[in-house]
Amino acid sequence: MSCNTKGVVIMVKKNLFINGDWVEAAEYTELRSPYSSEVIAEIPKANIEEVEAALVAADAARETMANLPLYKRAIILEKLASLLEARAEEAAELIALEAAKPITTAKAEVQRTIQTYKFAAEEAKRIHGETIPVDAAPGGDGRIAYTVREPLGIVAAITPFNFPMNLVAHKVGPAIASGNTVVLKPASQTPLTSYFIGELLAEAGLPKGALNIVTGAGSLIGNKLVTDNRVKKISFTGSPAVGIGIRNQAGLKKVTLELGSNAAVIIDENVNIDKLIPRVVSGAFAFQGQVCISVQRIYVHEKMYDLFVDKFVAATKELKLGDPLDPTTDVSALISPQDVKRTLSWIEEAKGQGAIIATGGESEGNILQPTVLLNVKPEQKVSCQEVFAPIVSIMKFTSIQEAFDQVNDSKYGLQAGIYTDNIHIALQATQKLHVGGVIINDIPTFRLDHLPYGGVKESGMGREGLKYAIEEMTEMKLVVINQN
């Protein structure tokens, strides 16, 4: 797919990617741009038989991948990173088209994806066990013991729309590095980037059947993958309701769930407001707030509250709304018209219960204006649920313990941030905030791709980040040798 000089989308038809080949599906559906509503592609709508074919291919390739030497896995991943780097502009355009992610942000995602596959290549060469001193216990004399890590088999990867290329990399990269095979089910709105990666991996020399890509109804495909006994690991990023359902159905399969959040940042007294405002605004409104660790709740010390609100609102009003392919655009369309309606109703609910709209609160087509709310109650949807939209609530606090309590008053716990010049308060935050990651003097949106990433409570279970994902995609085997 590409755009001509006038920006008109040239539509393409994609097929399923099964056993290293492009397979025509029995049924197709239209894929529309979230920004313009134009049809941009025809996408396969896989049925049970086609998902079964993907599983058969992945199962047949298990032994090949398990026996593939570590250096060869690394070479494939390094080649993928190189091929993606050479076609980075095309990849970013695909993300902008199918997800309405502003092109500058899409380019940043592509660069992160390249880095993620490079990390995967490096970690492929560092998969190892340990030796254990057997004679530390009576009866261990004359024996040697060590552990090895072995691939699980088939990994089912189910990915969301918001980082359609990099979140796929966080599942496919470690799966290949650890010698597993994959059946990938990308989000229905953003499959083009997954098919693009499938093309590049085939070119990079990935064995046939090691990666299979099926698109279609999440309920049908997901249910088949979650319940099939050939699948040994499920890596899912999406909503808590779906994730909890997967966990309940998965049986003894290994499961990694990243289920979102309503991420908070604390602004302590005596910090430099001017220095942090651009960063917090970016964390709140980048990609329309459709980021699991997007800044959604801001708790500001009462001494700093009025100044912070004034400067934050002024900076928010400077953001440019428009076409995601325009490099000057900061905020574009939400992923669907239904999400625009949902978020507008949440804003109205909050307003009806006393919240103040400091800026925004309206839509322009499928674009929701960046919205800042004040006087929000903790039980209102804009605060206690995941908005996944450019909506931020700013609240004040008196004591730092009050701020910790407000952040923790959530069913989620992915990451939280705190800005403070007080080392004692910073250390208290690391202990008292019940989240998967505490970010000191930065926004909760901070993430580097080799760091452990995951949450507590309804934000999920397990950790991503290449080394940590590989640990969860392998199992330990003990070997004991009797030398007597």
Side-chain angles (χ1 to χ4, degrees), residues 201-273:
L201 273 169
E203 186 178 347
L206 185 69
K208 287 191 173 185
L211 174 64
N212 307 274
I213 306 170
V214 289
T215 52
S219 55
L220 183 147
I221 298 173
N223 185 68
K224 174 66 173 173
L225 296 178
V226 170
T227 58
D228 195 287
N229 289 330
R230 289 166 294 185
V231 174
K232 303 303 180 184
K233 162 77 180 181
I234 301 161
S235 183
F236 170 80
T237 302
S239 72
V242 175
I244 292 168
I246 287 174
R247 186 69 185 89
N248 291 337
Q249 287 184 292
L252 296 178
K253 293 179 176 68
K254 283 193 171 186
V255 177
T256 297
L257 303 174
E258 198 278 278
L259 306 180
S261 191
N262 57 349
V265 63
I266 297 169
I267 312 297
D268 195 16
E269 60 180 321
N270 300 323
V271 297
N272 187 330
I273 295 294

Side-chain angles (χ1 to χ4, degrees), residues 120-141:
E122 293 166 5
E123 291 297 336
K125 295 177 281 188
R126 291 197 279 259
I127 300 173
H128 57 82
E130 61 179 357
T131 57
I132 304 167
V134 190
D135 58 354
D141 307 47

Side-chain angles (χ1 to χ4, degrees), residues 125-185:
K125 295 177 281 188
R126 291 197 279 259
I127 300 173
H128 57 82
E130 61 179 357
T131 57
I132 304 167
V134 190
D135 58 354
D141 307 47
R143 287 174 169 80
I144 298 171
Y146 62 90
T147 61
V148 294
R149 300 204 70 90
E150 298 182 336
L152 296 173
I154 300 177
V155 173
I158 305 173
T159 59
F161 72 83
N162 58 330
F163 284 87
M165 189 163 281
N166 197 40
L167 289 184
V168 165
H170 273 283
K171 302 182 190 306
V172 171
I176 293 172
S178 53
N180 292 285
T181 62
V182 183
V183 177
L184 169 63
K185 195 280 176 193

Side-chain angles (χ1 to χ4, degrees), residues 378-389:
E379 67 273 12
Q380 291 171 344
K381 291 187 179 73
V382 291
S383 177
C384 69
Q385 296 191 29
E386 183 176 37
V387 293
F388 233 56

Side-chain angles (χ1 to χ4, degrees), residues 173-466:
I176 293 172
S178 53
N180 292 285
T181 62
V182 183
V183 177
L184 169 63
K185 195 280 176 193
S188 297
Q189 180 56 45
T190 53
L192 299 180
T193 41
S194 290
Y195 285 125
F196 183 78
I197 291 297
E199 293 174 10
L200 298 187
L201 273 169
E203 186 178 347
L206 185 69
K208 287 191 173 185
L211 174 64
N212 307 274
I213 306 170
V214 289
T215 52
S219 55
L220 183 147
I221 298 173
N223 185 68
K224 174 66 173 173
L225 296 178
V226 170
T227 58
D228 195 287
N229 289 330
R230 289 166 294 185
V231 174
K232 303 303 180 184
K233 162 77 180 181
I234 301 161
S235 183
F236 170 80
T237 302
S239 72
V242 175
I244 292 168
I246 287 174
R247 186 69 185 89
N248 291 337
Q249 287 184 292
L252 296 178
K253 293 179 176 68
K254 283 193 171 186
V255 177
T256 297
L257 303 174
E258 198 278 278
L259 306 180
S261 191
N262 57 349
V265 63
I266 297 169
I267 312 297
D268 195 16
E269 60 180 321
N270 300 323
V271 297
N272 187 330
I273 295 294
D274 289 325
K275 184 177 179 180
L276 63 85
I277 282 290
R279 182 69 171 157
V280 182
V281 168
S282 174
F285 301 122
F287 189 37
Q288 295 81 266
Q290 296 171 128
V291 181
C292 295
I293 42 177
S294 177
V295 174
Q296 181 175 330
R297 297 179 293 154
I298 304 175
Y299 296 100
V300 185
H301 193 281
E302 60 183 3
K303 292 181 180 178
M304 313 293 286
Y305 181 81
D306 291 336
L307 177 63
F308 181 89
V309 168
D310 289 345
K311 289 182 177 291
F312 189 90
V313 170
T316 299
K317 290 179 178 179
E318 294 297 315
L319 297 174
K320 180 180 176 182
L321 284 56
D323 188 333
L325 290 171
D326 183 342
T328 66
T329 293
D330 298 306
V331 176
S332 190
L334 288 180
I335 198 66
S336 73
Q338 291 73 28
D339 282 288
V340 178
K341 293 177 183 177
R342 172 185 62 82
T343 50
L344 286 173
S345 71
W346 287 15
I347 292 169
E348 285 303 309
E349 175 193 75
K351 182 181 176 182
Q353 296 175 9
I356 298 168
I357 301 175
T359 188
E362 298 180 354
S363 63
E364 302 175 15
N366 287 335
I367 300 176
L368 180 70
Q369 295 173 351
T371 301
V372 179
L373 299 176
L374 311 176
N375 197 35
V376 173
K377 296 178 175 63
E379 67 273 12
Q380 291 171 344
K381 291 187 179 73
V382 291
S383 177
C384 69
Q385 296 191 29
E386 183 176 37
V387 293
F388 233 56
I391 302 173
V392 169
S393 300
I394 307 178
M395 288 75 68
K396 68 175 66 174
F397 67 88
T398 302
S399 70
I400 196 64
Q401 185 58 53
E402 179 188 354
F404 293 155
D405 291 342
Q406 289 176 329
V407 172
N408 289 335
D409 184 20
S410 171
K411 63 183 179 181
Y412 299 112
L414 190 46
Q415 292 196 164
I418 179 171
Y419 284 91
T420 181
D421 291 334
N422 187 320
I423 185 62
H424 302 290
I425 288 176
L427 291 174
Q428 286 179 48
T430 67
Q431 296 173 342
K432 294 191 174 184
L433 293 177
H434 189 202
V435 292
V438 178
I439 315 299
I440 307 297
N441 285 329
D442 206 346
I443 52 178
T445 325
F446 176 80
R447 181 185 181 185
L448 296 177
D449 294 289
H450 63 304
L451 299 179
Y453 177 76
V456 298
K457 298 188 281 188
E458 288 191 23
S459 284
M461 59 188 297
R463 292 296 181 268
E464 291 190 334
L466 285 305

